Amino acid sequence: MSLASPIKKEQESFHIPKQQKTQRVMKLAEAPKQIKPILEVQDLAVSFSQYTEGLRQKELEVITNLNLSIHPGEVLAVVGSSGSGKSLLAHAILGILPSNATVTGSISYKGENLTSKEQAALRGQEIALVPQSVNYLDPLMKVGKQVRTAVKQGDAIKAQREVFARYQLQPQVENLFPFQLSGGMARRVLVSTAVVSGAELIIADEPTPGLDAEVVKEALNCFRELADKGVAIMLITHDIETALSIADRIAVFYAGTTVEVAPAKDFTGKGEALRHPYTKALWRALPQNDFLPIPGFQPLPNALPTGCLFEPRCQQAAPQCAMVQPKTRMVRNGMVRCNHAT
Amino acid sequence: MLLEGKNIGFRYDKGPWILQDTNIAIESGEVVGIMGPSGCGKTTLGRILAGYEKPYEGSVTLNGAPLPQKGYNPVQLVFQHPEKAVNGRWHMANTLNEGWEPHDDILASLGIEKAWLKRWPNELSGGELQRFCVARALGTKTQFLIADEMTTMLDAITQAQIWHVVLDVAKKQNIGVLVVSHEKNLIKRLCHRVVDLEAMK
């Protein structure tokens, strides 16, 4: 752990000017005294235009009515099954969606609306992504050099060597190309890149699969540590256990929208403290809990129900649920999108 | 029925040994878990037991005889990534009926919709594809099932759905199941006994 302290110093020296900048922005906006979210997503919708037959196109909505906010110093876990739109959210925030995608709604960063120009300026600087696939590494550049390019201040070589040591990557790894790494090593390289970048918002898209339990713990602790120093972390995962180990709040995704945002401490016992029936079902389906499945499956984007997205699988479903999508409400200090939540 | 791997050793060319002197035996109706850190040879052992890979040393026997080389393989393997285990140029119906024709009740219990049969694999999600791979592997001639990180990429609800069906069918047809996973809680929930591959070395 002796290696951890120089990294901390590096980041502290890096953060001070930025925090001042944040405060300045807040003063300009005459913000209330409580901490403002660093990132706020409101009514986000993402759709893709697809060719169906010949030149005929159709719009496919994959994310609808999505609301989310994340504060400095907070770890927000985004949990949902595959195909629920988690990765697309990350790509929408960074502005790296493919050209056939249309984004509506608003994404604001530090209180200011994010335009695609600002997204391009911020990504890799203030907003860093730990991508899901190890294919995101440059195949023709040695990994040590790749990590060094992310260091914005101070001694890049030193920072890179320290972070490698921290993730148990041997010193000779810096001279290897991505194809020479195992999956776990490549993932540690990706996490290293985000850690040394000094970003204020880190979006980690499934950063842990394929890693040993020990390395997972180390990587997660590192995210937690960064958060404790004021960095906002968005941890995208399908694994609630991973999420619970470090997150402050958990946002649960289902079929392209957030059905619930709950404090992590609500995930306990039989899930009585949870608000949405899907979250409860997800919690109870874990092998260490009841291992109890519910019938059905998440609807595909081209066949979304008109009412509540969970209505076809919900035991509490009432006729009104099938008519219109429930609005988001605050219930017991958490956000929920369900007519029945109390 | 007994699936047995005796003194199995494996390495690629002259590389380091991945497995050496590994012994494992699974009886019909048994659910056995394999644990170990990544890279310790869990998947390799699974592939050897299912006949996908020839061991460098040792042998795999089913009731004392070597695995059959032709026809339906009584040792079925389900992989972690279903999108790599189905033919992208086949409709799902063909993939499903590759080895046998699953009954409607199995399809219903796995939540496979009739409409999906006419789809291409790239039109379905990973969780949906994995349901097909499981249905395909649970044929009446299956005696052993090797589940190599079968539900790792899936959410908890889909994981529970699939495992309930697999355990149910395994009980009815007296199938022996080998669960390869790094999730302690899942192994604890499913298995009668657990083999620690690292400790065997």
Side-chain angles (χ1 to χ4, degrees), chain A residues 104-125:
Chain A
T104 56
S106 78
I107 303 174
S108 56
Y109 178 74
K110 290 183 178 171
E112 283 175 51
N113 207 9
L114 262 188
T115 61
S116 54
K117 204 175 156 193
E118 277 159 355
Q119 280 172 330
L122 288 173
R123 61 177 176 242
Q125 310 285 330

Side-chain angles (χ1 to χ4, degrees), chain B residues 53-172:
Chain B
E53 209 86 61
K54 284 248 173 302
Y56 200 87
E57 285 175 352
S59 62
V60 176
T61 55
L62 185 65
N63 268 346
L67 292 174
Q69 294 297 306
K70 276 185 182 172
Y72 191 93
N73 188 348
V75 185
Q76 288 284 315
L77 180 57
V78 180
F79 297 90
Q80 177 177 354
H81 298 290
E83 60 277 14
K84 295 180 185 168
V86 298
N87 191 331
R89 289 167 180 249
W90 284 7
H91 274 300
M92 290 316 299
N94 296 338
T95 297
L96 184 69
N97 299 327
E98 216 178 335
W100 72 303
E101 286 185 17
H103 307 297
D104 283 353
D105 48 337
I106 284 204
L107 300 189
S109 60
L110 278 168
I112 295 174
E113 297 264 295
K114 278 272 183 290
W116 296 354
L117 296 175
K118 287 188 201 134
R119 298 254 179 89
W120 301 104
N122 65 355
E123 294 171 323
L124 294 172
S125 74
E128 286 152 4
L129 288 175
Q130 194 66 302
R131 295 165 205 247
F132 281 92
C133 293
V134 170
R136 179 174 65 172
L138 289 175
T140 41
K141 289 188 230 156
T142 301
Q143 285 156 13
F144 289 93
L145 181 80
I146 298 171
D148 183 5
E149 303 275 15
M150 184 170 79
T151 50
T152 304
M153 296 306 281
L154 308 177
D155 64 291
I157 293 177
T158 315
Q159 167 169 283
Q161 271 179 347
I162 290 182
W163 273 115
H164 275 272
V165 176
V166 168
L167 293 185
D168 198 41
V169 173
K171 206 168 186 183
K172 270 190 209 143

Side-chain angles (χ1 to χ4, degrees), chain A residues 43-50 58-66 83-85 88 102-105 255-257 299-304 309 325:
Chain A
D43 298 325
L44 183 78
V46 176
S47 60
F48 289 96
S49 57
Q50 288 187 329
K58 79 168 177 201
E59 287 286 314
L60 189 65
E61 283 224 316
V62 282
I63 290 184
T64 47
N65 293 327
L66 189 142
S84 62
L88 285 173
T102 319
V103 181
T104 56
T257 195
L300 291 172
N302 56 7
L304 292 183
L309 297 172
Q325 215 186 27

Side-chain angles (χ1 to χ4, degrees), chain A residues 81 210 212 238 241 278 281-282 285-291 293-298 300 313, chain B residues 37-38 111 113 116 119 128 131 152-157 159-161 163-164 185-186 189-190:
Chain A
S81 57
D212 290 336
H238 71 280
E241 271 176 88
Y278 175 69
L282 199 61
L286 288 179
Q288 64 270 39
N289 296 338
D290 293 346
F291 204 47
I294 53 164
F297 42 86
Q298 177 175 267
L300 291 172
R313 299 173 81 180
Chain B
S38 57
E113 297 264 295
W116 296 354
R119 298 254 179 89
E128 286 152 4
R131 295 165 205 247
T152 304
M153 296 306 281
L154 308 177
D155 64 291
I157 293 177
Q159 167 169 283
Q161 271 179 347
W163 273 115
H164 275 272
N185 289 317
L186 182 67
R189 171 66 76 165
L190 295 172

